[in-house]
């Protein structure tokens, strides 16, 4: 009787261990048999999109960041609002600034044509993000796969859990820590601002009121960002190469040319100054650490196993 009980206990233990590991672990080969051409499809669609508009690489990187910080990397940010469903697109950090949704739609259409009802929107977003960085000259990394798509979204979490452009260093460190990310992860992931643009409304206070700023840089930015009006006027986050993924962002910070308050706080006499200096002089170290931090961020609370669903249309629940 005891041996039967022990055998039963061992079997249950193994089953629960298997269940846990399938829920906890993603795998780069998740679609190797079910959608072998997935990565080729994503890469070719992203290549076409970036050839049309280089900024889309930055836009999709931002989508992934804003997705992972709300409920985990579950494609909740892609869901449209409907009469009966409130998504995250109209949360303050996303409203009129989150973009690139049409590119994800196109990739999804192309993937569905090859592998119907197989690949999640969450995984498509993760792959598109990596490819956008690579196509703009940045590092590559192996993307773990097997995420499933959320059937829920949270506008309130998007409003409260995505770090804002006026955040101080202590706030940023706390908000990243809440997602299992370190201060080092914060500093290296902020390097994603080596590509892309920001709206005047998000850097106006910095260029008019702050003192830890290069005066010539502030004057240049004021020309396209008046004291009032022009809220959506754009400026590059990297002054030198805004459509090339490199380490110039950190050189800008050392020279007090960070566009957002939340950029310059990384180099302002605080705990991240040394790391910013390192990255400003060592592109290889930045690329290596950025790739590792992107994998880490992509592992935030994924839905796996039978949780969530594989959406047919990334904007709508099945």
């Amino acid at each position: 009787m005891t041996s039967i009980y022990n055998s039963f206990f061992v079997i249950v233990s193994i089953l629960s261990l298997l269940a846990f590991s399938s829920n906890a672990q993603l795998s780069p080969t998740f679609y190797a048999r079910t959608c072998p051409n997935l990565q080729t499809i994503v890469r070719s669609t992203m290549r076409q999109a970036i050839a049309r508009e280089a900024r889309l690489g930055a836009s999709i990187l931002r989508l992934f960041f804003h997705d992972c910080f709300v409920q985990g990397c579950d494609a909740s940010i892609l869901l449209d609002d409907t009469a009966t469903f409130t998504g995250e697109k109209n949360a303050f950090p996303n409203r009129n600034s989150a973009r690139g949704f049409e590119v994800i739609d196109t990739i999804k259409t192309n993937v569905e044509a090859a592998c119907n009802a197989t690949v999640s929107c969450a995984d498509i977003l993760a792959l598109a993000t990596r490819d956008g960085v690579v196509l703009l000259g940045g590092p590559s990394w192996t993307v773990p796969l097997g995420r499933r798509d959320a059937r829920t979204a949270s506008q309130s979490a998007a409003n409260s859990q995505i770090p804002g452009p006026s955040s101080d260093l202590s706030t940023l460190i706390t908000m990243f820590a809440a997602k299992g990310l370190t201060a080092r992860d914060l500093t290296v992931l902020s390097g994603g601002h080596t590509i892309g643009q920001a709206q005047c409304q998000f850097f106006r206070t910095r260029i008019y009121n702050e003192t830890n700023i290069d005066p010539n840089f502030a004057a240049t930015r004021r020309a396209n960002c008046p004291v009032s009006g022009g809220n959506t006027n754009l400026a590059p986050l990297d002054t030198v190469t805004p459509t090339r993924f490199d380490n110039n962002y950190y050189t800008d910070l050392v020279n007090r040319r960070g566009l957002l308050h939340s950029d310059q706080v990384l180099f302002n006499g605080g705990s991240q100054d040394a790391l910013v200096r390192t990255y400003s002089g060592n592109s290889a170290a930045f690329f290596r650490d950025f790739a590792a931090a992107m994998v880490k961020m992509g592992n935030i609370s994924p839905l796996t196993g039978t949780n969530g669903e594989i959406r047919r249309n990334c904007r709508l629940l099945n």
Side-chain angles (χ1 to χ4, degrees):
M1 187 71 185
T2 306
S3 64
I4 292 172
Y5 174 80
N6 286 344
S7 300
F8 175 75
F9 180 76
V10 168
I11 290 165
V12 169
S13 299
I14 290 168
L15 287 173
S16 62
L17 196 64
L18 286 170
F20 175 77
S21 62
S22 70
N23 281 335
Q25 287 197 311
L26 304 174
S27 163
T29 58
F30 188 83
Y31 300 107
R33 286 200 304 279
T34 56
C35 196
N37 294 323
L38 169 62
Q39 307 223 15
T40 306
I41 295 167
V42 176
R43 178 66 61 96
S44 67
T45 313
M46 280 299 292
R47 186 175 282 112
Q48 292 164 12
I50 282 178
R52 199 171 65 247
E53 186 192 1
R55 185 186 170 204
L56 283 165
S59 301
I60 287 169
L61 173 58
R62 185 170 183 259
L63 278 186
F64 187 57
F65 168 49
H66 285 203
D67 183 39
C68 291
F69 264 61
V70 182
Q71 299 187 165
C73 310
D74 61 0
S76 58
I77 195 171
L78 304 179
L79 291 167
D80 284 345
D81 286 5
T82 69
T84 56
F85 184 89
T86 303
E88 296 162 15
K89 290 183 178 180
N90 284 304
F92 181 71
N94 298 327
R95 188 171 59 240
N96 300 324
S97 66
R99 60 196 300 277
F101 297 108
E102 296 80 9
V103 179
I104 302 302
D105 292 339
T106 303
I107 298 171
K108 179 65 170 172
T109 299
N110 295 344
V111 170
E112 285 293 306
C115 329
N116 183 42
T118 302
V119 181
S120 68
C121 300
D123 279 341
I124 285 172
L125 181 55
L127 287 168
T129 298
R130 187 269 314 271
D131 289 351
V133 169
V134 171
L135 289 163
L136 293 176
S140 188
W141 59 92
T142 301
V143 178
L145 300 166
R147 299 168 190 80
R148 287 168 65 86
D149 297 323
R151 294 187 51 77
T152 60
S154 177
Q155 190 179 90
S156 61
N159 279 323
S160 63
Q161 295 176 20
I162 296 171
S166 59
S167 301
D168 287 324
L169 182 58
S170 59
T171 302
L172 292 170
I173 290 172
T174 300
M175 294 181 87
F176 272 69
K179 304 300 172 185
L181 299 169
T182 65
R184 189 182 185 94
D185 295 327
L186 155 67
T187 299
V188 72
L189 289 170
S190 296
H193 285 177
T194 178
I195 50 176
Q197 315 256 331
Q199 296 180 10
C200 164
Q201 61 181 324
F202 298 130
F203 61 83
R204 179 182 284 118
T205 300
R206 167 136 175 83
I207 61 173
Y208 285 100
N209 298 347
E210 296 188 6
T211 54
N212 61 337
I213 189 168
D214 171 357
N216 293 327
F217 169 72
T220 302
R221 288 293 161 259
R222 285 173 190 161
N224 194 41
C225 182
V227 176
S228 63
N231 276 355
T232 58
N233 292 359
L234 297 172
L237 288 154
D238 171 335
T239 60
V240 188
T241 51
T243 58
R244 181 147 190 90
F245 197 101
D246 55 27
N247 64 336
N248 277 330
Y249 168 80
Y250 297 103
T251 307
D252 279 342
L253 296 188
V254 171
N255 292 321
R256 296 182 306 152
R257 293 183 199 134
L259 185 62
L260 304 177
H261 179 84
S262 58
D263 290 323
Q264 196 60 57
V265 294
L266 300 175
F267 190 86
N268 193 36
S271 63
Q272 301 308 296
D273 282 24
L275 190 56
V276 168
R277 275 201 193 278
T278 297
Y279 291 151
S280 73
N282 190 335
S283 177
F286 166 49
F287 275 29
R288 180 195 66 228
D289 291 354
F290 184 83
M294 285 299 293
V295 172
K296 190 173 175 184
M297 185 173 76
N299 282 333
I300 298 174
S301 308
L303 296 170
T304 56
T306 55
N307 294 318
E309 64 183 18
I310 305 297
R311 265 181 238 150
R312 304 289 203 280
N313 175 340
C314 291
R315 294 172 178 267
L316 301 168
L317 302 178
N318 290 345

